[in-house]
Amino acid sequence: MLKIGLTGGIGAGKSTVSEILAAHGAVIVDADTIAREVVAPGEPLLTHLAQRFGEDVIAADGGLDRAQLAAAAFVDEESTAALNALMHPAIRDRTTDHFAKHSDAEVVVHDVALLVENSMTSAYHLNLLVDVPAALRLERLMSARGMARDDAEARIARQADDEDRYAVCDVIIDNAGSVRQTQDRVARLVEDRILPFAANLEAQRPAERGPVELVDPACQDWALQAQRIIAKLHHGIGKSFRIDHIGSTAVPGLAGKDVIDLQLLVSDLDVARELAPRLAQLGYPGHDGSDNLGEGRLEPKRFHANTDPGRAVNLHVRTEDSVGAVFAREFVQLLRSDDSERERYAQLKRTLADDYAGEGRSEGYSEAKEPYFLTMRRRLVPGSFD
């Protein structure tokens, strides 16, 4: 199952995009619907709410009297915390039930208004943000929903700002134009990324990669993307494992292939193999591999390439004290601090990228850099070749 988080500020048109995704076959799990379900007449949560906040929170029809609950629960921090302690587990468990009900679905979209505010984005393979400028959202709230300006402005202000949303969402869907324009954008996203992603995930095969092409780093947000990816990996496998952003995309100002390289450090390769099934579920199928240390020396590791056709990631799983792990980390630090070495490496990359531009894949380009890497390993990992 490809799990997608969908969010957007109030008035952005998230429901419109949700409907479009559903029309393309996605299963929608709606957080607002679940929040209503758990306080419907007969639900056990109502009993717990009444015990904590009084029988007045139960309406005449047996459901929740939201106004009475608000009056009782938001009087102080202790009461609000008590409300959250009751509501959140009930919503979480019901959400889990909905996902389990659709466990055979290809794509499930979790529609959550407060996805960013509740720090939920790391739980999904992909996060979509329905984006509309705040001024237009304000106008829509006033015209379409009849809100007073003060009320609309206050609701917008209580939510995450655009910068916070951009930092944690993978795809920005512009919904400032017509519905037809949004339909076309979402249709392309489904065809080009979502469905191939889901198919690759199910088959546990990496997404296809193109030929060698160096990308201008000034046009990229590689560091931010790496942070998002690392957060998802930590959510899936636990935070006890160190994960480093390595390679050219980890060096500000250095051109490179548009591939995020990461290394995950483990105590030994048995642990790496134990992690493999979970990494595959997260979108990182892998296999046993090795680092070429030069002079005929190979060092074992695990290599996982991801299934998302819209964001290439290489995940190298290495032992903590391996030459490959130490070198990857030290090489990035050197390039960040040594302007002359960074330019030397950049020139080598440009030359080799031109030499191998006609190849459909990048193996030849990578192999041609090995003599340079051998020299740098001797410099940065002294004693490893004695």
Side-chain angles (χ1 to χ4, degrees), residues 46 51 63 72 169 245 262 295:
L46 287 172
Q51 290 172 344
C169 290
H245 182 196
L262 305 173
E295 299 181 334

Side-chain angles (χ1 to χ4, degrees), residues 1 27 95-105:
M1 177 197 300
V27 171
T95 301
T96 300
D97 291 344
H98 276 266
F99 272 92
K101 178 181 177 181
H102 300 290
S103 60
D104 59 345

Side-chain angles (χ1 to χ4, degrees), residues 185-255:
R185 290 188 183 100
V186 175
R188 288 194 297 271
L189 175 64
V190 170
E191 181 178 355
D192 296 343
R193 188 167 185 178
I194 291 177
L195 290 182
F197 194 167
N200 291 338
L201 186 65
E202 182 178 11
Q204 294 195 359
R205 62 171 176 252
E208 293 185 5
R209 303 281 178 85
V212 176
E213 181 181 358
L214 299 185
V215 178
D216 181 359
C219 304
Q220 306 301 318
D221 59 352
W222 285 326
L224 196 59
Q225 292 184 56
Q227 289 176 17
R228 291 201 295 263
I229 296 163
I230 290 171
K232 292 176 185 179
L233 287 167
H234 274 146
H235 183 273
I237 64 173
K239 295 184 178 181
S240 61
F241 296 96
R242 174 172 176 170
I243 304 176
D244 299 320
H245 182 196
I246 59 173
S248 295
T249 60
V251 181
L254 180 63

Side-chain angles (χ1 to χ4, degrees), residues 266-337:
V266 294
S267 57
D268 58 63
L269 290 181
D270 287 339
V271 175
R273 295 186 185 97
E274 291 171 2
L275 286 175
R278 182 57 182 148
L279 289 174
Q281 291 177 344
L282 296 173
Y284 296 85
H287 55 80
D288 287 339
S290 60
D291 283 321
N292 180 3
L293 302 184
E295 299 181 334
R297 294 182 59 185
L298 298 177
E299 185 175 60
K301 67 175 181 181
R302 291 277 301 177
F303 179 75
H304 298 252
N306 73 325
T307 55
D308 180 2
R311 164 36 59 214
V313 181
N314 291 334
L315 179 63
H316 309 261
V317 185
R318 297 178 168 120
T319 56
E320 296 163 346
D321 57 352
S322 64
V323 174
V326 175
F327 172 69
R329 187 167 58 247
E330 294 299 320
F331 186 53
V332 167
Q333 293 301 322
L334 174 68
L335 295 181
R336 287 174 175 172
S337 60

Side-chain angles (χ1 to χ4, degrees), residues 209-214 248 257 259 261 292 301 303 314 316 345 348-349 352-353 355-357 359 361-374 377:
R209 303 281 178 85
V212 176
E213 181 181 358
L214 299 185
S248 295
K257 294 180 296 179
V259 180
D261 275 282
N292 180 3
K301 67 175 181 181
F303 179 75
N314 291 334
H316 309 261
Y345 182 49
L348 173 65
K349 287 158 63 73
L352 294 179
D355 291 345
Y356 291 91
E359 292 191 354
R361 300 181 67 82
S362 61
E363 283 81 356
Y365 167 81
S366 298
E367 291 173 3
K369 292 190 292 182
E370 284 305 322
Y372 170 79
F373 284 146
L374 173 59
R377 286 190 193 95

